[in-house]
Amino acid sequence: MHLRLMSKQPVASLSLDLDNQWSYMKTHGDEGWESYPTYLPLLVPRVIEALRDANLRITFFIVGQDAALEKNHAALRMITDAGHEVGNHSFRHEPWLHLYSEAELDREIEDAEVAIETATGKRPNCFRGPGFSLSRTVLKVLTKRGYVCDASTFPTFLGPLARMYYFMTSKLDKAELEQRDQLFGKMQDGLRPLKPYRIQTEVGSLIEIPVTTMPVLKIPIHVSYLLYLSVFAPWLAKLYFRFALAMCKLTGVQLSLLLHPLDFMGCDDNIPEMAFFPAMNLTVSRKLKFLRYVFRTLNQQFTIVPMQEHAKAIAEQAKAVPMKHPKAIALP
């Protein structure tokens, strides 16, 4: 029986961008990222346990470079062994995919595919660009390679503010700043739709599932943002989250909520390179307590599925629109 017929709750998806320590350091301009320092052996078991306790299956968007390293294989295999889905988060985690040629993109995505399947036993069929990096060529390559969905759009007006904060705390030179000038998106990304849709490329179509932001206001609701609010007032963060969920239901937005590794890590993990990230002054126990609240609230109001299942449910009702359509605005 189809998923939507088995539950009266609306379907929603939950995903985690498995950015590793080195990828944060690389984007931030910190020295030492080239040795690929990793916290995956610490992080992944913690995430798997939290999801198991909440009876949730999600999608982990994995960076190919991590999957290519033997030291991460045991942790990454835990993901599929626990029944979770894997997605492609590029190979080198460079948030300037819009600058790549088609041949470079094809190699980037294929290399990640091969490494992820080798490490986890599963081939990814969904993609999210690092730093929400996206272009028409990315969508074309994904369609050509048989991907079910892309999840790289982030409909918010606040991307430039997030980028400004990141740059203010970074050690990047002028050339590196220019290379990252679309990190977290542009102001006009706030005009993008929140509801998923099918997008038509010249070689086929795939489903676009935006990272959900607050309907109407287009302000972030992903868990990192909620944890940042909880630093000041946990009750306010919870109220904000419940209001966002109510707005999604009211406006018919199919929720796709985003997690990050540092949502599960805290100051007591003693990783000084990550101290710049918002809410990293909280302890692990405090973050996990808040995450339990988030997961419990989601389970009460939605049927949570991995991205691929979400995309398949959407595909039955989504009409294809060309990339020049307003739903596909501002793609380079």
Side-chain angles (χ1 to χ4, degrees), residues 249-271:
K249 287 188 170 183
L250 181 65
T251 57
V253 170
Q254 295 193 26
L255 179 72
S256 185
L257 192 66
L258 174 62
L259 295 161
H260 287 98
L262 300 186
D263 299 339
F264 295 82
M265 305 185 74
C267 55
D268 42 339
D269 281 318
N270 298 314
I271 305 178

Side-chain angles (χ1 to χ4, degrees), residues 100-136:
Y100 281 35
S101 69
E102 183 173 341
E104 290 170 331
L105 281 168
D106 195 64
R107 178 65 181 272
E108 176 79 6
I109 292 170
E110 180 182 16
D111 286 351
E113 280 174 17
V114 172
I116 292 167
E117 185 170 10
T118 299
T120 69
K122 299 291 184 180
R123 181 190 183 276
N125 288 302
C126 294
F127 180 83
R128 178 173 288 135
F132 309 107
S133 182
L134 185 63
S135 70
R136 294 170 183 264

